[in-house]
Amino acid sequence: MAENGHHAILRRILGEDRVSLGGARGGGNNGAAALRLEMARATRDAFGLTALVEECKAEKAGLPEIEAEIGPGALPILLRTSDGRLGLVVYSSELALALLEWRLIGFLSETAPPERTLTATDAAVLADLTDPVLERFGRAMKEADGVDWASGYTQGARIEDPRHVPLIMASGRYRLYRLRLVAGRGRAGGLIIALPEAAPVVRPRTAGNVARPWPEALRAGVLGAELSLNAVLWRSRVSAAAIARFRPGDLIPLPAAALRAVQLEGPGGVVIAGGRLGQAHGDRAIKLDSEGGGTEVPGFEAPQLGSALPMGEPGFGLDDEGGLDFAAEGLPADGLDLGGEEFPFDPAGLDSDLENALENGLDGDGFGAAPLDLSEDFPSVSA
């Protein structure tokens, strides 16, 4: 009974938060009393300045309220931990200039110097006070309540513009502390500290969330990118005058060999593979050569479609009508045998089909009276 009466008297004289220091160093779960005590101790022991902490109030706020607390000329500085948590400390212009004056020349004048823009160098000097306060406060909260949401913070970089605070710091609720310090003969100023309510839950590192090595991640990203391919049947050089004479319904003859020499090209005309034209499940399809059209054979240079064919070299020649002369040296007179016994249409029949097309014209369904036979499917291939 007597003890309760003493506590009531102390509360009226000193205030509720100072009385609570006798029972727990943390001063309750909001930590206002602990921060008030540790601020005074750090200012005296680590900074060498005796200052009175007139008040220390705690509340919970969001980023908009924290941004609104940053007054004109104030010095906002980021706080960070090794596990990625971010906080904020803001020195008012009056308090920052007083602390800087004490730190740089060793005494405080009675009148404050003219206000100026506070810089990153000023913030670096004030780290001599910020870091000890944060260390002491974090240790006090952990010893009193067994929590570590206030532990591990150190001073980071100066924030250039208060409007950057919501962009830099994580959204959520913060513990906001407002302090007022008085040093020397009336040199006073305010200070706010904002820390996240609780430490984030650290998930155990598993095989699924462990970062892959950079080369492997790059390879996976590149190989997963979308790539456009063009299937090219044939390329031919045509004069500008001939192109100007093109009209709807004109026929552009293609050699039968074009169906057996389809090329898949990537961006920039790079040949990816070669194959033959046919049909699969009712759709036009290209059957890729088993050897892969993009493989380079040492000592062999394949002629590119659309480029000028070599003239006067063994194996290539032009007849009087401008077509390929397969009777030239190095090639059989009846053309190249590309094999293809599994291919669904007869190359010999294609020659007659093209002849019919040139003589009789197209009828809208195919080449001449005997359209190309593309009805047979390629063998199915499982993905």
Side-chain angles (χ1 to χ4, degrees):
M1 190 65 135
E3 183 177 355
N4 292 337
H6 290 308
H7 275 285
I9 296 173
L10 289 174
R11 288 189 186 96
R12 288 196 298 270
I13 297 175
L14 301 177
E16 182 69 29
D17 54 354
R18 292 195 179 186
V19 176
S20 63
L21 284 175
R25 192 180 175 189
N29 56 8
N30 65 6
L35 180 58
R36 183 174 190 170
L37 177 62
E38 299 302 337
M39 173 64 73
R41 290 175 173 175
T43 305
R44 180 194 62 201
D45 299 340
F47 208 70
L49 174 65
T50 300
L52 172 64
V53 183
E54 281 192 339
E55 64 179 15
C56 180
K57 298 180 180 180
E59 65 179 61
K60 295 183 180 180
L63 290 179
E65 293 84 358
I66 295 175
E67 180 185 358
E69 292 287 335
I70 305 176
L75 179 61
I77 306 173
L78 199 65
L79 305 177
R80 60 176 69 250
T81 65
S82 59
D83 59 0
R85 288 176 290 159
L86 297 178
L88 183 71
V89 59
V90 182
Y91 288 90
S92 68
S93 177
E94 299 82 5
L95 180 61
L97 292 174
L99 295 175
L100 291 169
E101 183 179 343
W102 170 262
R103 197 61 168 173
L104 296 178
I105 64 177
F107 68 89
L108 290 177
S109 59
E110 295 184 4
T111 59
E115 290 193 3
R116 61 177 177 84
T117 301
L118 298 173
T119 66
T121 303
D122 298 326
V125 175
L126 293 178
D128 293 342
L129 175 61
T130 306
D131 287 344
V133 169
L134 295 173
E135 181 184 1
R136 289 169 176 266
F137 178 54
R139 184 170 59 248
M141 294 303 298
K142 191 169 185 179
E143 292 176 357
D145 299 333
V147 295
D148 56 359
W149 56 265
S151 302
Y153 284 95
T154 57
Q155 180 171 306
R158 166 179 171 262
I159 299 178
E160 299 287 343
D161 192 330
R163 293 174 297 180
H164 296 168
V165 169
L167 304 177
I168 298 174
M169 300 175 63
S171 60
R173 304 295 292 176
Y174 286 78
R175 298 174 186 264
L176 180 63
Y177 298 93
R178 295 188 184 89
L179 298 95
R180 178 175 174 79
L181 278 68
V182 180
R185 298 183 179 181
R187 298 289 296 276
L191 171 72
I192 67 171
I193 297 177
L195 302 177
E197 277 192 328
V201 178
V202 180
R203 295 183 302 169
R205 295 173 62 86
T206 62
N209 59 21
V210 174
R212 291 181 294 180
W214 181 83
E216 182 181 344
L218 178 63
R219 186 182 304 110
V222 172
L223 295 180
E226 183 177 344
L227 179 65
S228 299
L229 297 178
N230 295 323
V232 181
L233 275 174
W234 187 257
R235 280 195 174 97
S236 177
R237 292 180 178 270
V238 182
S239 65
I243 295 176
R245 292 193 295 268
F246 282 171
R247 295 293 182 270
D250 288 351
L251 299 179
I252 302 177
L254 299 177
L259 301 178
R260 290 173 289 167
V262 182
Q263 286 191 329
L264 290 181
E265 296 184 358
V270 178
V271 178
I272 305 300
R276 290 165 289 166
L277 181 64
Q279 178 176 305
H281 306 293
D283 298 323
R284 295 289 184 264
I286 296 174
K287 184 174 184 180
L288 301 181
D289 292 336
S290 58
E291 297 179 357
T295 303
E296 295 184 2
V297 180
F300 176 77
E301 182 177 359
Q304 299 293 322
L305 293 179
S307 62
L309 293 175
M311 304 287 291
E313 296 181 7
F316 292 94
L318 296 176
D319 57 18
D320 295 337
E321 298 178 358
L324 282 177
D325 183 10
F326 288 100
E329 182 181 355
L331 292 176
D334 56 352
L336 294 175
D337 181 12
L338 299 180
E341 47 277 356
E342 76 279 12
F343 198 69
F345 49 79
D346 181 11
L350 296 176
D351 294 332
S352 61
D353 292 335
L354 292 173
E355 291 177 2
N356 292 334
L358 294 176
E359 294 177 1
N360 304 323
L362 287 174
D363 60 1
D365 292 329
F367 283 101
L372 297 179
D373 181 13
L374 298 177
S375 60
E376 186 174 353
D377 288 348
F378 284 133
S380 299
V381 178
S382 299

